[in-house]
Amino acid sequence: MIGEWWAGFAPYVPGFLGASWLVLVLTLLSILVSWICGLAAALAKASRFAVLRRASGFYIWFIRGTPALIQIFIVYFGLPQFGLRLSPFVAGVLALGINGGAYIAEIVRAGLSAIPKGQLESAEALGMGRLHMMSRIILPQVFRVILPPVTNEAITMLKNTSLLSVITVVELTLYSQTIIATTFRPFEFYIATAVIYLAMTTILSQAAARLERHYARYS
Amino acid sequence: MAGEPLIRLRGLRKSFGGLEVLKGISLDVQAGEVVSVIGASGSGKSTFLRCVNVLEMPSAGTMAFEDFAFDFEEGARRRPTAAQLRALRSRIGMVFQSYNLWPHMTVLENVVEAPIRVKGVPKAEAIAEAEALLARIGLAEKRHAYPARLSGGQQQRVAIVRALAMRPKLMLFDEVTSALDPELVGEVLSLMASLAAEGMTMLLVTHEIGFAREVSTRTLFFDGGVIAEDGPPREVLRDPKSDRLRQFLKRVLHEHAGDAAPVVPLGLAGELAGEP
């Protein structure tokens, strides 16, 4: 029975591998975009200029208060009305990145505020410059504090790539749908798809747990 | 008391919003002086200390320290630049109430960070010097430990060593024993006493009246943002000129009278534990 099942599955293994690879690429690029948006928004939120603080507040409020799917539709179907026609891949990375950025901004802001003021002061009192304090004293501590929520964000991002199936990015979800349309075996193939997602998210969270243990040595 | 002072302050003022905390502080400190600063909370003594290394930028007044001459007035030509402030702070050590060791670095890394990366001391030399300093305070075997593994008293002594590793000309101590358990106060005070005995110039804000009397060469009483009394500790503390100081001493000594007697260096008894 297993042999029969595998015989039906085997022809699609290369396709699944390719689609999984695409999931990883989409996730990685979207995370990159989300960090750019997130750091910019976190900085803007701490800015001296009210305009920037407002803009950042609006961005975070809008993104966190609307479904990611609608945001993807706005970027892919909405922007062409203004002459900005993006490929599904680019639109997807952009939309997911902008979406994730709002969450990253909040995580970074919380991480920075978790570092006691005295940590900066003692560095300042020894004659350190801004860059030195940030790179050697503050960021290493912030990184440790935000590691767990950042991991969660990465896992969410990986799962959210499945939303891009609706704008014709042939990632894992859309790939399995196309197979199911010809094989009529939704249960097996959706389970297989779920297992692949699970494998990827598990590897991600295991790696993060290992990092956390590494940092736990000084607490 | 002759000669150029190590640091000269004139008319130092500091306001936060509309609240003027320092109302014109003028002070000369000679090299080797150990100046204790006492006063009620809100009297401006901590703000004053933070103005000396310009962690707080004074609103007005001037400062001369070694080759620096600053005028803090808004728009003044000699207002300190960021680079000057870094250079100033690398020569003035400061120790805080809450130690502020960096938790992600070992004891040794805490001590060598600034000498190597701010002063450019060669790594091997900085490590050798840090190890010698740590050995002096009996914490050599803790050099690879993270701060969280140390007691409060040990952390504070490491914080003092971290400041000393920069070979400062002046040390500022901001209520450095106030956060410590009473039984850990002694080890920190005795380290400070030995620094004073070696001739380190020190400015210390403290609630340890006994320590101020025994170790400092001069005591300032801050009241309402000005130096209300200034003189040798025995005179200032034994015969206060003002009612305000008399009341302050009575309050401080009374609060501490009920504390369990801690291990005290230099035969100081009584008024030891700090205010929270």
Side-chain angles (χ1 to χ4, degrees):
Chain A
M1 191 202 142
I2 286 180
E4 195 183 324
W5 179 83
W6 177 248
F9 194 79
Y12 302 107
V13 168
F16 267 114
L17 283 177
S20 305
W21 176 247
L22 184 57
V23 167
L24 289 180
V25 171
L26 285 167
T27 305
L28 220 68
L29 291 177
S30 303
I31 287 176
L32 196 70
V33 173
S34 75
W35 273 90
I36 294 168
C37 294
L39 287 177
L43 281 177
K45 195 109 195 229
S47 161
R48 286 180 290 141
F49 304 107
V51 187
L52 288 179
R53 288 199 303 273
R54 292 261 181 76
S56 171
F58 176 82
Y59 164 63
I60 292 166
W61 172 67
F62 180 86
I63 295 295
R64 300 210 303 175
T66 55
L69 192 57
I70 299 299
Q71 294 159 17
I72 292 166
F73 285 163
I74 291 172
V75 172
Y76 184 64
F77 296 117
L79 290 185
Q81 256 179 275
F82 302 94
L84 193 58
R85 198 170 300 278
L86 301 171
S87 73
F89 182 88
V90 171
V93 165
L94 206 60
L96 288 182
I98 290 170
N99 175 271
Y103 297 92
I104 295 291
E106 288 292 87
I107 290 169
V108 169
R109 202 180 52 79
L112 281 172
S113 66
I115 309 302
K117 203 165 143 260
Q119 289 288 309
L120 261 184
E121 275 189 344
S122 60
E124 221 179 345
L126 285 160
M128 288 187 196
R130 284 260 151 224
L131 211 65
H132 183 182
M133 286 193 274
M134 266 296 151
S135 63
R136 299 277 304 172
I137 308 300
I138 302 304
L139 290 184
Q141 295 188 58
V142 170
F143 180 69
R144 192 191 155 227
V145 176
I146 69 178
L147 191 58
V150 161
T151 311
N152 278 337
E153 242 353 89
I155 288 171
T156 302
M157 188 67 89
L158 192 145
K159 293 188 293 182
N160 275 352
T161 57
S162 75
L163 294 172
L164 302 185
S165 60
V166 299
I167 58 168
T168 73
V169 179
V170 191
E171 40 61 76
L172 198 50
T173 303
L174 186 52
Y175 177 71
S176 62
Q177 281 173 338
T178 57
I179 297 168
I180 289 160
T182 57
T183 59
F184 305 107
R185 308 298 300 256
F187 185 78
E188 288 94 327
F189 282 103
Y190 278 138
I191 289 291
T193 305
V195 167
I196 295 172
Y197 277 119
L198 195 59
M200 291 193 284
T201 55
T202 303
I203 290 168
L204 205 57
S205 56
Q206 289 297 319
R210 193 168 278 224
L211 254 185
E212 253 177 81
R213 273 200 299 281
H214 175 72
Y215 285 111
R217 75 211 142 111
Y218 64 74
S219 59
Chain B
M1 279 296 174
E4 276 292 292
L6 176 66
I7 188 162
R8 162 170 288 174
L9 306 168
R10 288 292 176 273
L12 223 55
R13 291 174 178 276
K14 177 65 185 176
S15 301
F16 294 102
L19 182 70
E20 189 168 51
V21 178
L22 295 181
K23 298 175 180 168
I25 303 290
S26 296
L27 180 71
D28 284 355
V29 177
Q30 307 290 333
E33 273 194 289
V34 177
V35 182
S36 53
V37 180
I38 59 171
S41 60
S43 61
K45 58 191 194 303
S46 277
T47 303
F48 164 70
L49 208 65
R50 296 163 58 83
C51 280
V52 173
N53 66 351
V54 202
L55 274 187
E56 301 287 356
M57 178 76 79
S59 322
T62 62
M63 171 195 292
F65 172 81
E66 297 202 302
D67 48 337
F68 296 110
F70 297 138
D71 183 345
F72 297 109
E73 194 76 51
E74 192 80 49
R77 198 168 42 81
R78 288 187 293 123
R79 220 157 188 250
T81 64
Q84 285 173 324
L85 287 184
R86 288 199 299 276
L88 176 83
R89 290 174 188 144
S90 71
R91 293 187 227 167
I92 298 180
M94 185 164 195
V95 186
F96 300 86
Q97 182 176 338
S98 48
Y99 342 131
N100 299 344
L101 293 180
W102 304 308
H104 61 301
M105 295 183 180
T106 63
V107 164
L108 186 64
E109 286 166 349
N110 264 276
V111 176
V112 299
E113 177 71 18
I116 293 173
R117 286 169 190 271
V118 175
K119 273 179 84 179
V121 176
K123 198 171 171 191
E125 195 181 310
I127 290 174
E129 187 158 344
E131 285 182 336
L133 281 167
L134 288 169
R136 216 192 102 180
I137 61 168
L139 289 177
E141 80 284 9
K142 298 273 190 193
R143 64 190 184 279
H144 296 309
Y146 285 93
R149 299 267 172 266
L150 272 55
S151 74
Q154 291 173 330
Q155 288 191 50
Q156 192 60 297
R157 287 186 289 141
V158 171
I160 292 172
V161 161
R162 180 172 67 175
L164 290 176
M166 292 292 278
R167 295 178 176 269
K169 296 286 164 45
L170 169 66
M171 284 285 285
L172 309 174
F173 295 88
D174 190 6
E175 299 188 25
V176 294
T177 55
S178 296
L180 293 172
D181 289 336
E183 75 271 20
L184 301 178
V185 168
E187 61 189 75
V188 173
L189 291 185
S190 60
L191 172 57
M192 289 165 68
S194 69
L195 279 180
E198 284 164 29
M200 174 62 79
T201 313
M202 296 163 56
L203 264 173
L204 48 112
V205 168
T206 187
H207 293 292
E208 311 285 355
I209 301 298
F211 183 77
R213 186 169 55 223
E214 297 299 324
V215 176
S216 59
T217 58
R218 183 176 173 191
T219 295
L220 309 178
F221 172 58
F222 267 60
D223 189 31
V226 298
I227 297 176
E229 300 204 22
D230 175 359
R234 273 157 212 285
E235 286 173 25
V236 171
L237 297 169
R238 292 258 158 83
D239 316 300
K241 290 196 212 65
S242 63
D243 280 343
R244 300 277 295 171
L245 177 52
R246 205 166 296 126
Q247 283 162 11
F248 171 75
L249 289 175
K250 208 165 144 191
R251 230 171 27 244
V252 175
L253 297 178
H254 178 75
E255 267 167 33
H256 293 147
D259 290 344
V263 181
V264 180
L266 311 167
L268 305 177
E271 59 290 314
L272 266 149
E275 282 172 9

